[in-house]
Amino acid sequence: MSSSPKLPASATFLSTDSTASLPAARILGIETSCDETAAAVVENGRIIFSSTVASQIDLHAPFGGVFPEVASRQHIRTIYPILETALQQAHMDLKDLDAIAVTRGPGLPGSLVIGVNMAKGLALGSGLPLIGVNHLESHIYSAWLHWPPVETSPNVEIEPEPQFPLLVLIVSGGHTELTLMEGHLQYHRLGSTLDDAAGEAFDKVARLIGLSYPGGPSIQKAADGGDPRRFAFPRAWLENTWNFSFSGLKTAVLREVHRLKEVSNDLPVADLAASFQEAVVEVLVGKSLRAAEAFGAKEILVAGGVSANRALRAAFQTQAACPVNIPPLSLCTDNAAMVAAAGYYRFARQQRDSLDMDVLPNWPLSEV
Ligand code: KG4
Ligand code: ZN
């Protein structure tokens, strides 16, 4: 029998911010959209009681990217122990919870199905409501989470919530989107990538210059010792739109690599990585800052795996005229605490999904 943990003395956010009128609720989040199997328990969309993530990176690294069949098989193996760990670490069982939130899409169909079926089974067995959550919305709500989890720092002040109107940049392995949020769960799509996602560009360019998967962290590490001005790679500004494009940049790196290899097999990897990274960062930051100004955003929120990038974080923090909210590194890449956070706001909005809910592998944020 578990005993529910008490809120820390400092967790007074319910009476001090815009969640004041929302119900108190503890949500179990489940995430299996790509190559992370994750479960978490979060209270009121902000306080993490537990967050467990099993990464499959080592399994996919030999393939240079995520191998879908391997991913779903691994989710099947891992999901049950991950769930048990998340509940144990939260000192809770299902009867202590108010709902189960699960990533419904976008993502790999065979991976999404594992999490959704597990969530349905738990909902059926426990009678708890089932809430299907959009993965991009989850990345956004990672900014509402307080880190570290409550058990490791019970007396830390909960930061204020991000303020609307909020300019949101989502940069992940599958998406690059600029969105304006006027309020909770309200998204006005400004633009997105016309070809490769930012993370995808990092992954592909890493492979081109002989770095390991996932490419983002590898390029960041290699770029540390490199000269970002050695190669003048193109910036696709796509003037008069809020869209992005990274395929031209990728092709420019490819051409440069071919040219260099004609001269020597010893590629200047650090300079290539630094020059590529700077080209991506300059466009992501430049367009986001312009959009924030144009739409009168009070704050900027950057979310998704690429938001872990140190150069990107530093550029936002030094160049923005308004506050920039970027989740801590542990919440940038896929996790289930963000699913529970988004699920909380959906729960408060009375969203309840039926047990015949299906996965939506191509579910755009504009259609949530
Ligand atoms: O959000 P995420 O974990 O999964 C998706 O929903 O796609 O993002 C994964 C992406 C990968 O492309 C990875 O290379 C990139 O995020 N990434 C980074 C960094 N850490 C992860 N990109 C640049 N710099 C990083 N430090
Ligand atoms: Zn993601």
Side-chain angles (χ1 to χ4, degrees):
M1 192 64 67
S2 68
S3 66
S4 308
K6 297 274 176 295
L7 274 181
S10 59
T12 52
F13 67 92
L14 271 177
S15 59
T16 58
D17 64 25
S18 67
T19 54
S21 56
L22 298 180
R26 285 173 176 166
I27 313 271
L28 172 68
I30 300 176
E31 157 65 34
T32 62
S33 68
C34 190
D35 60 343
E36 261 93 25
T37 319
V41 177
V42 172
E43 185 165 68
N44 302 339
R46 302 210 68 192
I47 300 181
I48 303 172
F49 280 97
S50 65
S51 178
T52 53
V53 181
S55 170
Q56 305 178 359
I57 281 178
D58 293 347
L59 275 180
H60 299 291
F63 304 107
V66 178
F67 197 120
E69 284 79 7
V70 173
S72 36
R73 210 174 311 136
Q74 189 62 15
H75 285 307
I76 294 173
R77 288 200 188 104
T78 324
I79 188 144
Y80 193 78
I82 282 293
L83 271 163
E84 268 198 321
T85 309
L87 289 170
Q88 272 166 13
Q89 282 179 359
H91 306 292
M92 292 186 202
D93 52 38
L94 291 175
K95 68 172 178 37
D96 301 312
L97 302 171
D98 297 282
I100 298 168
V102 62
T103 310
R104 189 180 179 189
L108 300 170
S111 290
L112 289 165
V113 150
I114 313 300
V116 165
N117 283 344
M118 176 54 89
K120 284 182 187 176
L122 292 175
L124 182 66
S126 63
L128 288 171
L130 174 72
I131 301 171
V133 173
N134 180 288
H135 183 69
L136 303 176
E137 182 168 74
S138 299
H139 271 300
I140 292 173
Y141 275 92
S142 61
W144 268 260
L145 289 165
H146 175 70
W147 186 263
V150 69
E151 265 204 345
T152 54
S153 71
N155 294 314
V156 176
E157 202 73 36
I158 305 288
E159 307 101 42
E161 289 189 42
Q163 295 296 300
F164 303 116
L166 187 61
L167 191 279
V168 179
L169 173 70
I170 303 174
V171 268
S172 70
H175 297 86
T176 303
E177 307 231 354
L178 211 46
T179 296
L180 190 68
M181 264 180 101
E182 307 270 14
H184 279 297
L185 311 178
Q186 292 171 35
Y187 310 102
H188 175 69
R189 185 181 165 281
L190 301 177
S192 59
T193 182
L194 302 179
D195 37 61
D196 291 342
E200 193 179 356
F202 269 97
D203 294 336
K204 287 179 176 170
V205 166
R207 211 176 312 156
L208 278 179
I209 60 177
L211 296 173
S212 60
Y213 174 85
S218 308
I219 286 191
Q220 170 175 299
K221 197 163 168 228
D224 267 352
D227 174 5
R229 275 166 291 276
R230 163 107 182 253
F231 301 101
F233 290 136
R235 276 77 166 145
W237 288 105
L238 307 183
E239 296 296 346
N240 303 319
T241 77
W242 300 113
N243 292 327
F244 299 93
S245 165
F246 296 105
S247 69
L249 170 59
K250 181 189 64 191
T251 310
V253 178
L254 176 68
R255 269 203 221 105
E256 193 60 46
V257 167
H258 283 328
R259 197 186 63 77
L260 290 161
K261 277 189 175 163
E262 278 170 15
V263 186
S264 154
N265 266 335
D266 240 358
L267 281 181
V269 173
D271 294 345
L272 285 166
S275 303
F276 162 78
Q277 180 175 266
E278 184 157 282
V280 176
V281 167
E282 208 175 295
V283 175
L284 289 176
V285 175
K287 291 202 86 149
S288 303
L289 298 192
R290 276 194 229 163
E293 201 187 342
F295 293 96
K298 281 198 184 142
E299 285 186 30
I300 295 172
L301 192 168
V302 191
V306 181
S307 67
N309 186 269
R310 223 180 306 123
L312 182 75
R313 297 167 84 93
F316 265 114
Q317 297 298 359
T318 53
Q319 295 172 33
C322 64
V324 182
N325 197 319
I326 313 180
L329 292 182
S330 40
L331 297 175
C332 287
T333 44
D334 291 348
N335 64 86
M338 67 186 195
V339 180
Y344 170 73
Y345 289 92
R346 293 269 154 207
F347 175 82
R349 177 73 67 84
Q350 303 300 322
Q351 178 180 325
R352 306 290 184 267
D353 288 302
S354 77
L355 290 176
D356 39 17
M357 174 178 91
D358 207 352
V359 299
L360 296 171
N362 301 307
W363 191 14
L365 183 61
S366 53
E367 285 175 22
V368 294

